[in-house]
Amino acid sequence: MSYFDAASAAPLHPVARQALLAALDEGWADPARLYREGRRARLLLDAAREAAAEAVGCRADELVFTSSGTRAVHSGIAGVLAGRRRVGRHLIVSAVEHSSVLHAADVHQADGGTLTQVAVDRTGAVDPSAYAAELRQDTALACLQSANHEVGTEQPVADVADACREAGVPLLVDAAQSIGWGPIGGGWSVLTASAHKWGGPPGVGLLVVRKGVRFAAQGPADERESGRAPGFENLPAIVAAAASLRAVRAEAAQEAVRLRELTERIRTRVPRLVPDVEVVGDPERRLPGVVTFSCLYVDGETLLHELDRAGFSVSSGSSCTSSTLTPSHVLRAMGVLSEGNVRVSLPFGAAAEDVERFLEVLPGAVAGVREKLGAPAAETVVRDDVLVVDSLGRRCPIPVIELAKVIGDVPVGGTVRVLSDDEAARLDIPAWCEMRGQEYVGEEPADRGSAYVVRRLS
Amino acid sequence: MSYFDAASAAPLHPVARQALLAALDEGWADPARLYREGRRARLLLDAAREAAAEAVGCRADELVFTSSGTRAVHSGIAGVLAGRRRVGRHLIVSAVEHSSVLHAADVHQADGGTLTQVAVDRTGAVDPSAYAAELRQDTALACLQSANHEVGTEQPVADVADACREAGVPLLVDAAQSIGWGPIGGGWSVLTASAHKWGGPPGVGLLVVRKGVRFAAQGPADERESGRAPGFENLPAIVAAAASLRAVRAEAAQEAVRLRELTERIRTRVPRLVPDVEVVGDPERRLPGVVTFSCLYVDGETLLHELDRAGFSVSSGSSCTSSTLTPSHVLRAMGVLSEGNVRVSLPFGAAAEDVERFLEVLPGAVAGVREKLGAPAAETVVRDDVLVVDSLGRRCPIPVIELAKVIGDVPVGGTVRVLSDDEAARLDIPAWCEMRGQEYVGEEPADRGSAYVVRRLS
């Protein structure tokens, strides 16, 4: 059993467990009360806030505990947008933010606000000057993650923060994936994080709002957590979150080196072990424990299932997994292959031998899936030098498999039209062309779905 | 050490602790994932939902877990108001709802909605026919607590639910104080509750929305918990919440009889042991473990401090406690004395000998506070048969103490004018008149604060 999905949720750190147990006994009472149990709870809450603030690098009175990272993001974005409403209603996000940021942006747009999504390059990073160019007179808030949750790419937060500062626009940094590794540099204004990503318990997020940032908490009033996080404080979990953040930080420098070496093994060896693989994300500027790759001609859900049977728990941004029929917005924004996508995110303490075993198991698992999928017959029609592949009603990776099977049947210079109504084809057919040195001509509307036109170059 | 503030937060039930520990090991992964840790987490979540739904008396797919009772109330009210916006924008609440309900109502009003607060009688209960009379064509939602959190009075939920059903208006029941004791009868439509009130951990609320109720979740989209509670599920706490609800229910019938007898001791003996005390709340239709009384000529915060020193943790709805300068809205709505207010709420398993010790300690504690406060000299001026007491700048209970000291100085039929700028005087001077058989003539504006006019009758 190797759990390689720490970017979704990290197993509870032993320190978090200890602290939680102690706080269940000491910290169950209402910290707003004046009697001794309440005062004791208040002391624990204050100490947790001090510890978390020290780890974040902020003042204790700038930090509140929310009920999740998602809540921190929702409240942080809504609060700044409302606080700076007089300045304007323009919001900037990167195209690869966590869904909690994008969904908050959707609400803003539905409410009449304007939104700019800053594109990313093929590694998943924004370009700081491109980001800066979107800052306007009426920009109320800019958002940028510290590092991407699907591919591990670190964003140029300090540079973007400088540009924001110069423009007088607050920058909200979603630090969920990286705060366990160290504080976020640069002059950010608002920061959010989630304890269960660093080995703390679920039920705790951080929302930090720097002094001087105009902030108007939205929703019904509540006196707790400076009015920014309504509801009775989840004190045992807060205590555990703060204690475990301190604990993982103490081990972070050493563990980062170790995990980086392990993910580097995967980055370099998977393409050698498995044909037709694209490793995605920045090879250098990345989280220590995350590595993501996509496998041509493979359906992500089946591959995850095979890996699970072999004892590996990993995640995927492919379509056809976990009840979604579209590839992850991150892979789409990067313009990389989404089929057969696998994210390996190693938890603290992941064993080298487990990574080695993963590298042993993976080639066979991919080959098995490909073998199963390789069989389906395609209905192909050759008209002059145009070959039409009808993949309507077939899900990824079938359209790409059909394309690969027939490309040799047209002469060099001839074209293949792949008919598909699968959302993933829009991303994966161009990605296949790039990997195979063929020309992607474009997408044309069809009676059902689209026709994806590919010209054979070699 | 006797903790008598279970209505604020109950100590963790042993079953909750056990379940939490087990779920920390088994349920830390993301229940939306397909690998084995995720599937295991999903099974735990499903089982917890089934258990909670069975205890509530609803279908499992009607119940979601929120991050607190407050969040359940906020989301429940906002969701029904939005879902029924076409019907109208009229909201009904009782005057003694929990602040989370009243604050959600404030947001609705600020947003242009209309609001009716249904008054309560001196016991704190609404009159079902008075409540029903407020139901209108454009009423989107009606809210009524199952029992009051400050005085323990049970509300006529089933009767109000019948009236709502007849009018086609959904009724939201805040069941935070009573769900541990048993399911809520009657045809309610939406129900909210909070785990830490029944001995579960903090960080878990329940939001139940009956099938057929129009509901439109507000705020950014999120796929978890049917889209009604964004953020990563706090699974260990959810498991503990469901397990402890089942456990307290198994003990509820027997424990209710025991606690009811203990609070009855307080109800009957405090007025005999302590002079000038008003026990508030319904003597019969009430929560088993809650009893509330107010002591004339006593400042609530000082009394709480004295009781804390004697080893008793209780709460108060008096002004001048916990950073608030106004008496609780519940005591105000009931029109009862607020000064020297004490709420005793016994946790499961509270010991009879601790209650006895409380009854031993209380008279001395009250007498001590009264002695300290009895001394202050009043500046009094007699003009004809009108005596003016200047209590400007003095906080409760001083204005009432001054009044009591001088009432004998005017002839029968003469009046005393108490000048006060303390908010509590508005409630406590009429309450004193009622307790003492004097006539409360009314309040008149003054240069500073108000003049409260009292006529001596005997």
Side-chain angles (χ1 to χ4, degrees):
Chain A
M1 277 316 307
S2 297
Y3 178 78
F4 285 174
D5 196 24
S8 285
L12 200 68
H13 192 283
V15 165
R17 191 186 165 92
Q18 277 169 20
L20 187 66
L21 286 179
L24 285 174
D25 297 330
E26 299 288 315
W28 50 269
D30 185 344
R33 298 292 178 189
L34 302 176
Y35 43 70
R36 72 191 67 193
E37 294 89 349
R39 295 194 305 267
R40 203 166 56 194
R42 167 63 54 189
L43 286 177
L44 287 174
L45 180 59
D46 290 346
R49 198 184 312 279
E50 289 285 348
E54 195 191 328
V56 168
C58 68
R59 291 166 42 163
D61 61 355
E62 294 173 330
L63 183 150
V64 302
F65 295 105
T66 66
S67 59
S68 67
T70 293
R71 280 288 187 194
V73 164
H74 292 176
S75 301
I77 291 179
V80 178
L81 287 175
R84 285 175 48 84
R85 197 173 165 133
R86 284 194 197 164
V87 172
R89 302 201 65 201
H90 180 230
L91 170 67
I92 307 178
V93 301
S94 88
V96 295
E97 295 298 313
H98 187 263
S99 59
S100 58
V101 173
L102 298 180
H103 288 152
D106 289 344
V107 166
H108 177 62
Q109 252 191 321
D111 191 37
T114 54
L115 176 68
T116 299
Q117 277 207 5
V118 179
V120 295
D121 62 21
R122 260 187 97 78
T123 72
V126 299
D127 170 37
S129 55
Y131 199 109
E134 302 293 351
L135 291 163
R136 308 190 321 212
Q137 280 279 326
D138 66 336
T139 304
L141 175 65
C143 300
L144 182 62
Q145 63 195 186
S146 57
N148 187 267
H149 50 296
E150 286 193 36
V151 300
T153 300
E154 289 177 346
Q155 301 291 352
V157 168
D159 291 346
V160 170
D162 285 346
C164 286
R165 179 153 286 197
E166 209 160 294
V169 172
L171 178 69
L172 180 149
V173 176
D174 167 15
Q177 289 297 332
S178 79
I179 196 77
W181 297 110
I184 310 302
W188 50 266
S189 301
V190 181
L191 181 144
T192 61
S194 173
H196 78 103
K197 305 280 190 192
W198 72 62
V204 182
L206 304 184
L207 171 59
V208 180
V209 181
R210 291 274 195 209
K211 288 287 153 201
V213 176
R214 280 184 190 276
F215 193 94
Q218 297 300 287
D222 195 279
E223 74 280 9
R224 296 181 189 270
E225 293 298 295
S226 310
R228 292 175 182 171
F232 189 77
E233 287 95 346
N234 189 352
L235 191 51
I238 285 171
V239 169
S244 56
L245 180 54
R246 188 181 284 214
V248 297
R249 280 291 186 78
E251 307 158 8
Q254 206 175 346
E255 186 68 1
V257 171
R258 206 179 66 80
L259 291 188
R260 184 171 285 275
E261 190 275 322
L262 293 179
T263 48
E264 190 58 35
R265 292 190 204 182
I266 297 174
R267 290 191 73 85
T268 53
R269 283 163 58 191
V270 163
R272 287 183 223 147
L273 293 166
V274 182
D276 296 325
V277 158
E278 183 177 9
V279 179
V280 299
D282 195 293
E284 296 300 325
R285 291 175 53 107
R286 62 183 177 85
L287 292 170
V290 177
V291 54
T292 303
F293 54 87
S294 298
C295 311
L296 263 182
Y297 317 139
V298 166
D299 134 47
E301 180 149 346
T302 309
L303 180 57
L304 255 52
H305 183 67
E306 291 301 318
L307 290 171
D308 177 46
R309 291 198 339 158
F312 295 97
S313 300
V314 296
S315 175
S316 173
S318 291
S319 58
C320 316
T321 51
S322 311
S323 80
T324 172
L325 289 175
T326 52
S328 97
H329 69 276
V330 173
L331 300 176
R332 258 184 297 171
M334 293 166 65
V336 296
L337 186 72
S338 81
E339 65 185 36
N341 178 260
V342 172
R343 175 185 69 185
V344 174
S345 54
L346 303 178
F348 261 58
E353 52 269 34
D354 289 342
V355 171
E356 287 299 326
R357 203 165 61 78
F358 176 77
L359 288 168
E360 275 166 36
V361 161
L362 182 72
V366 172
V369 177
R370 283 176 177 165
E371 200 181 318
K372 266 189 233 166
L373 292 173
E379 292 174 30
T380 59
V381 187
V382 182
R383 283 199 302 258
D384 302 322
D385 59 348
V386 179
L387 191 147
V388 178
V389 178
D390 181 358
S391 290
L392 291 168
R394 320 290 300 268
R395 295 267 156 238
C396 76
I398 302 299
V400 176
I401 290 177
E402 297 306 324
L403 168 61
K405 282 163 73 177
V406 303
I407 190 76
D409 297 349
V410 295
V412 169
T415 55
V416 178
R417 293 171 64 85
V418 183
L419 301 177
S420 173
D421 51 5
D422 180 35
E423 188 62 29
R426 183 165 293 134
L427 183 56
D428 290 340
I429 289 176
W432 177 89
C433 292
E434 183 151 334
M435 289 173 79
R436 279 290 177 273
Q438 308 293 358
E439 181 188 348
Y440 177 64
V441 179
E443 176 183 345
E444 293 169 9
D447 288 349
R448 241 180 88 202
S450 295
Y452 298 92
V453 183
V454 175
R455 177 168 294 119
R456 180 176 172 193
L457 297 185
S458 58
Chain B
M1 276 315 309
S2 296
Y3 178 78
F4 285 174
D5 196 24
S8 284
L12 200 67
H13 192 282
V15 166
R17 191 187 164 93
Q18 278 169 21
L20 186 66
L21 285 179
L24 285 174
D25 298 329
E26 299 287 314
W28 50 269
D30 185 345
R33 298 292 178 189
L34 302 175
Y35 43 71
R36 72 191 65 194
E37 295 88 350
R39 296 193 303 270
R40 203 167 56 194
R42 167 63 55 189
L43 286 176
L44 287 174
L45 180 58
D46 290 348
R49 198 184 313 279
E50 289 285 346
E54 196 191 328
V56 168
C58 68
R59 290 166 42 164
D61 61 355
E62 293 174 330
L63 182 149
V64 301
F65 295 105
T66 65
S67 59
S68 66
T70 293
R71 280 288 187 195
V73 163
H74 292 176
S75 301
I77 290 177
V80 177
L81 287 175
R84 286 176 47 85
R85 196 171 167 133
R86 282 193 199 165
V87 172
R89 302 200 66 199
H90 179 230
L91 171 66
I92 307 178
V93 301
S94 88
V96 294
E97 295 297 313
H98 187 264
S99 60
S100 59
V101 173
L102 297 180
H103 288 152
D106 289 343
V107 166
H108 177 62
Q109 250 190 323
D111 191 37
T114 53
L115 176 68
T116 299
Q117 278 207 7
V118 179
V120 295
D121 61 21
R122 258 187 98 81
T123 72
V126 300
D127 170 36
S129 55
Y131 199 110
E134 302 294 350
L135 291 163
R136 309 192 318 213
Q137 281 278 326
D138 66 337
T139 304
L141 175 64
C143 300
L144 182 62
Q145 65 196 184
S146 57
N148 186 267
H149 50 296
E150 285 193 38
V151 299
T153 299
E154 289 177 346
Q155 300 291 352
V157 167
D159 291 345
V160 170
D162 285 347
C164 287
R165 178 153 285 197
E166 210 161 293
V169 171
L171 178 68
L172 181 149
V173 176
D174 166 14
Q177 288 297 332
S178 78
I179 196 76
W181 295 110
I184 309 301
W188 50 266
S189 300
V190 180
L191 180 143
T192 61
S194 174
H196 78 103
K197 305 279 192 194
W198 72 62
V204 181
L206 305 183
L207 171 60
V208 180
V209 181
R210 291 276 195 207
K211 289 286 155 201
V213 176
R214 281 184 190 276
F215 193 92
Q218 298 300 288
D222 194 279
E223 73 279 11
R224 297 182 188 270
E225 293 297 296
S226 310
R228 291 174 182 172
F232 188 78
E233 287 95 345
N234 189 353
L235 191 51
I238 286 171
V239 169
S244 56
L245 180 54
R246 188 182 284 213
V248 297
R249 279 292 185 78
E251 308 158 6
Q254 206 173 348
E255 185 67 0
V257 172
R258 205 180 66 80
L259 292 188
R260 183 171 285 275
E261 191 273 322
L262 291 180
T263 47
E264 190 58 36
R265 291 191 204 179
I266 296 174
R267 289 191 73 85
T268 52
R269 281 164 56 193
V270 163
R272 285 184 226 147
L273 292 166
V274 182
D276 296 324
V277 158
E278 183 177 11
V279 178
V280 298
D282 195 292
E284 294 301 325
R285 292 176 52 111
R286 61 182 177 88
L287 293 169
V290 178
V291 54
T292 302
F293 54 87
S294 299
C295 311
L296 263 182
Y297 317 139
V298 167
D299 133 48
E301 180 149 345
T302 308
L303 180 57
L304 256 52
H305 182 68
E306 290 301 318
L307 290 171
D308 178 46
R309 290 197 341 158
F312 294 97
S313 300
V314 297
S315 175
S316 173
S318 290
S319 58
C320 315
T321 51
S322 312
S323 80
T324 171
L325 290 176
T326 52
S328 98
H329 69 277
V330 172
L331 300 178
R332 257 183 298 169
M334 293 166 65
V336 296
L337 186 72
S338 81
E339 65 185 36
N341 180 260
V342 172
R343 175 184 70 187
V344 173
S345 55
L346 303 177
F348 260 60
E353 51 270 36
D354 289 341
V355 170
E356 287 299 327
R357 204 166 58 79
F358 176 76
L359 289 168
E360 273 166 39
V361 161
L362 181 72
V366 172
V369 177
R370 283 177 177 165
E371 198 180 319
K372 265 190 235 168
L373 292 172
E379 291 172 32
T380 59
V381 188
V382 183
R383 285 200 300 259
D384 300 324
D385 59 347
V386 179
L387 190 148
V388 178
V389 178
D390 181 357
S391 291
L392 290 168
R394 320 290 300 265
R395 296 266 156 239
C396 76
I398 301 300
V400 176
I401 290 177
E402 296 307 321
L403 169 60
K405 283 164 72 177
V406 303
I407 190 75
D409 297 349
V410 295
V412 169
T415 55
V416 177
R417 292 170 66 86
V418 183
L419 300 178
S420 172
D421 51 4
D422 180 36
E423 189 61 30
R426 183 165 293 135
L427 184 55
D428 290 339
I429 289 175
W432 178 89
C433 291
E434 183 149 337
M435 289 172 79
R436 279 292 178 271
Q438 307 294 358
E439 180 188 349
Y440 178 64
V441 178
E443 176 183 345
E444 292 170 9
D447 288 347
R448 241 179 90 202
S450 293
Y452 298 91
V453 183
V454 175
R455 178 169 292 118
R456 181 175 171 193
L457 297 185
S458 57

